[in-house]
Amino acid sequence: MTTTLTSQPQPHVPGQTRQPHAATATTRPRTPRPRTAPGGPAGTRPRGHAGTHPRTPAPPRALPPHTVFAERLLAVLSGERPVHWMLGHTVGEAYEQLVLLAPLTPLRSLGPRPVLRRCSAQVHDGRTAVEAFATIATGPRVRAMAFRLERGADQRWRCAAVELDGLAAGVHRA
């Protein structure tokens, strides 16, 4: 707010705006604010809530572990990533299954990159294991992939088994 004080009265001249008299305060008009806004009263915003301001994007949601693993397995089985990319993310026979499946690149497509269409999971009691399945579009064809995730003592999820359209059972060592 700006206040100005004058010491002498000024005579009024027609066509000219009046100056304030001595000891008369003038203020600049304020821009009116709405009384209430979507976040509460004007000038308040809840703290710690990202995305409350219209220009602030909401933080990205974390994907569930079965969806993350489905994307990782898709990358390996389509030839986009090497098998050793899954070394720290597999346990038991799963890595061996990937070693046998990956050279066949069963999810490679001559057209656009294969896309994960759907991924669902069945969580076991105790939340220590997840049985998941995914459908993958490879061009005009839709493929099925099943895998098992197990939670280790360090609370990290690791892939324990992989099957693709029944290929894991049909792939044998020479």
Side-chain angles (χ1 to χ4, degrees):
M1 175 170 15
T2 306
T3 305
T4 57
L5 296 174
T6 58
S7 57
Q8 298 179 12
Q10 300 291 327
H12 176 65
V13 177
Q16 196 177 30
T17 58
R18 284 186 174 237
Q19 295 293 324
H21 294 289
T24 305
T26 60
T27 59
R28 209 179 286 173
R30 289 183 4 180
T31 307
R33 285 192 193 178
R35 281 274 184 208
T36 58
T44 64
R45 185 168 58 195
R47 293 190 182 270
H49 287 72
T52 57
H53 193 273
R55 286 182 237 147
T56 305
R61 290 186 353 192
L63 293 173
H66 62 275
T67 304
V68 172
F69 272 88
E71 287 285 355
R72 287 180 150 274
L73 291 169
L74 171 61
V76 170
L77 296 174
S78 67
E80 190 176 307
R81 292 286 191 158
V83 179
H84 68 268
W85 189 56
M86 292 293 290
L87 259 175
H89 303 284
T90 56
V91 292
E93 296 282 325
Y95 187 75
E96 293 299 320
Q97 291 170 333
L98 285 174
V99 167
L100 296 174
L101 282 172
L104 305 173
T105 56
L107 296 179
R108 178 168 280 160
S109 174
L110 297 176
R113 181 191 182 276
V115 178
L116 181 67
R117 289 180 60 190
R118 182 176 178 201
C119 187
S120 296
Q122 175 69 39
V123 181
H124 291 270
D125 292 334
R127 302 196 181 277
T128 58
V130 172
E131 298 285 340
F133 74 89
T135 54
I136 299 162
T138 56
R141 186 173 179 191
V142 177
R143 307 283 305 263
M145 177 172 60
F147 54 98
R148 178 181 172 88
L149 300 178
E150 294 177 354
R151 182 177 276 178
D154 60 356
Q155 299 301 309
R156 290 181 51 204
W157 290 101
R158 290 183 178 83
C159 185
V162 181
E163 190 171 327
L164 181 67
D165 292 339
L167 284 179
V171 176
H172 299 288
R173 288 188 167 212

